[in-house]
Amino acid sequence: MSENKPNARPRNADVHQNRNTVATNERTAFDNLGLTKRNADYMFRFNKALESTKLSPDKKAAAVQAMVNELVEGQKSGKTAKNLYGDVASRVKYVVEGPQREAEGKVFGGPDYWPNMVYNALTFFMIFTLLFGVMYLFSPKLMKTSSPVGITAILVSALVAGFLLPIMPRLFDPKIKHRFNGWIRFLLTLVGFAVWMVLFYFAQLLPPAINPVLMPWPSIIVGLLSIAAMIWIRRRYNIRGGFFG
């Protein structure tokens, strides 16, 4: 009688077992970070997908840690990884490639342009009215010995500034696809400032009936009202940066 040979152990069985053990440990590690099961599973899958990219280890670790911190905080208000980041593949692409460049033609316009335009115009209007109001209040002789700036000239300057300032940073934003090269955009910036100065100069040449000079206290009051309007616009349209940032 031939003896029955014991069943041979499948090849690579130990390798598969070790891989499963490592995967289980990695999955458990995210569970121990205070994440919900759903968010921990998302981060586990995201981390595995990120490992196959060419991103440096430091950047991978930083991206994972930042997301974990954001998720732990977001869970308090019921947010999930899917809500915050979309699917895993999209998030990996975002982390590796960065934000997608905006479509051409976004330098001017967009839903946030006009609120920013009004906010910037009010900012300049507030600065000049308060500046001249306080200056003439403490030095009344300046209204006679200098060439005080009229309210129309201030308004024109503020409107042009409000129109130009939201555009200037976008002209050099690398996330926007531009039609012109850097030198042309730089020249456009210089032209914009030149137009600003020219319009202010001619507005200041208008007769006093059209370009009256406000007395100190009315100028200060107008400046304070501008601050109130700025605060309202900032809260209403969630404007970032600038004054009251």
Side-chain angles (χ1 to χ4, degrees), residues 17-53:
Q17 184 175 1
N18 289 338
R19 287 178 179 173
N20 291 335
T21 302
V22 171
T24 301
N25 291 338
E26 289 179 353
R27 176 65 175 77
T28 304
F30 286 108
D31 286 326
N32 295 333
L33 294 177
L35 298 174
T36 63
K37 289 185 177 181
R38 183 177 298 178
N39 287 342
D41 180 67
Y42 183 100
M43 289 305 304
F44 169 70
R45 291 185 289 112
F46 169 80
N47 189 51
K48 295 297 291 183
L50 201 63
E51 288 177 356
S52 62
T53 67

Side-chain angles (χ1 to χ4, degrees), residues 4 28 40 235:
N4 292 327
T28 304
R235 292 177 178 175

Side-chain angles (χ1 to χ4, degrees), residues 10 45 55-56 64 80 87 104 106 150 174 192 199 205 218 225 234:
R45 291 185 289 112
L55 209 63
S56 68
V64 170
T80 67
D87 59 74
E104 189 174 352
K106 292 293 185 179
L199 290 176
L205 293 178
L225 291 175
R234 186 180 188 85

Side-chain angles (χ1 to χ4, degrees), residues 55-77:
L55 209 63
S56 68
D58 290 341
K59 290 184 178 180
K60 291 177 183 177
V64 170
Q65 187 60 54
M67 290 172 64
V68 168
N69 294 340
E70 189 173 12
L71 281 173
V72 170
E73 184 64 27
Q75 287 174 171
K76 298 176 183 178
S77 56

Side-chain angles (χ1 to χ4, degrees), residues 205-224:
L205 293 178
L206 293 172
I210 302 175
N211 185 35
V213 177
L214 292 182
M215 298 300 290
W217 277 115
S219 184
I220 292 173
I221 292 172
V222 169
L224 294 176

Side-chain angles (χ1 to χ4, degrees), residues 124 128 149 153-154 156-162 164-165 168 189-205:
F124 270 80
F128 284 116
V149 180
I154 293 175
V156 168
S157 179
L159 289 174
V160 177
L164 292 176
L165 289 180
M168 297 302 182
T189 303
L190 294 181
V191 170
F193 278 108
V195 170
W196 185 4
M197 294 298 101
V198 169
L199 290 176
F200 174 75
Y201 174 78
F202 281 104
Q204 182 61 7
L205 293 178

Side-chain angles (χ1 to χ4, degrees), residues 71-94:
L71 281 173
V72 170
E73 184 64 27
Q75 287 174 171
K76 298 176 183 178
S77 56
K79 295 178 181 178
T80 67
K82 184 74 172 179
N83 298 144
L84 291 172
Y85 311 123
D87 59 74
V88 171
S90 298
R91 183 60 183 178
V92 170
K93 182 177 180 181
Y94 177 88

Side-chain angles (χ1 to χ4, degrees), residues 229-240:
M230 289 168 60
I231 294 174
W232 181 84
I233 290 176
R234 186 180 188 85
R235 292 177 178 175
R236 174 66 176 79
Y237 295 99
N238 193 29
I239 294 175
R240 299 181 179 181

